Amino acid sequence: MSPETAKAQETKAKLLQGALRTLTEQGIAKTSARTIAATAGVNQALVFYHFGSVDELLAAACRYGAEQSVSRYRDRLAAVSSLTELLAVGRRIHEEERADGHVALLGQLLAGAQTHAVLGPATAAGLELWIAEIEGVLTRVLAGTPLGEYADPAGLARAVAASFVGIELYEGADAAGATAALDALEQLGFLLGALEELGPVAQRAVRQYLRRASARR
């Protein structure tokens, strides 16, 4: 890699990180080429040189931030062996993401998507990275349970992701209510865990019940 290419990549990384910091700390309303460049410590003209527009930089930063977050937790998710554990890990990830300011960032991205056309698809693409990881876990852990034949891992992954996104946004208005919602998800996890612990006869009965229920739909 030439020194010029290395310098350009370093500058782009500074701008991506600067955009994420600016969104988190100042909000979408105060995010501009000037504020991003000041946060990144580079010349304002470099925003347009490397990304063409502020909106394109924000879209790239959204994807960049999601990739960084997902890669940070990928090994932890890969080690999940049950639905109960998945919900517990999800809660810990939520707490860590909130502490790092990423929950506030998601709120700003979703707010910005209303007025910045490119942010909607970019935010959705970032969420898809999370959904793909969750779907992989669900496919794996459901395979040996009575739910394996009937559950839709892809749909469930989106439901889990939507639940956590909703809780993250709700938390700003009602922290106690958000905590109660997370507690309820953990209780659901305990119930599902009990299902996983059933013996073969009981699991066979559950499967038969689910088959009958599915046939009536």
Side-chain angles (χ1 to χ4, degrees), residues 11 14-15 18-19 21-22 35-42:
T11 300
K14 285 182 179 179
L15 285 168
R21 279 186 56 200
T22 304
T35 55
I36 292 171
T39 301
V42 302

Side-chain angles (χ1 to χ4, degrees), residues 23 28-29 31 54-56 58 108-109 111-123:
L23 278 169
I28 188 69
T31 296
V54 174
D55 279 3
E56 289 298 333
L58 292 178
Q108 291 301 320
L109 289 171
Q114 306 303 311
T115 52
H116 297 67
V118 299
L119 278 187
T123 303

Side-chain angles (χ1 to χ4, degrees), residues 40-53:
V42 302
N43 188 289
Q44 179 177 330
L46 292 172
V47 170
F48 304 99
Y49 177 79
H50 286 290
F51 294 96
S53 69

Side-chain angles (χ1 to χ4, degrees), residues 35-106:
T35 55
I36 292 171
T39 301
V42 302
N43 188 289
Q44 179 177 330
L46 292 172
V47 170
F48 304 99
Y49 177 79
H50 286 290
F51 294 96
S53 69
V54 174
D55 279 3
E56 289 298 333
L57 169 55
L58 292 178
C62 176
R63 292 188 291 269
Y64 172 83
E67 289 166 359
Q68 295 291 307
S69 290
V70 170
S71 65
R72 187 162 56 247
Y73 298 113
R74 184 167 285 124
D75 289 345
R76 199 183 306 184
L77 289 168
V80 168
S81 59
S82 69
L83 292 171
T84 306
E85 190 178 350
L86 174 60
L87 290 170
V89 167
R91 183 164 192 169
R92 289 196 295 272
I93 290 175
H94 165 80
E95 291 168 353
E96 292 172 20
E97 290 287 283
R98 179 182 58 191
D100 289 341
H102 297 156
V103 171
L105 172 62
L106 177 61

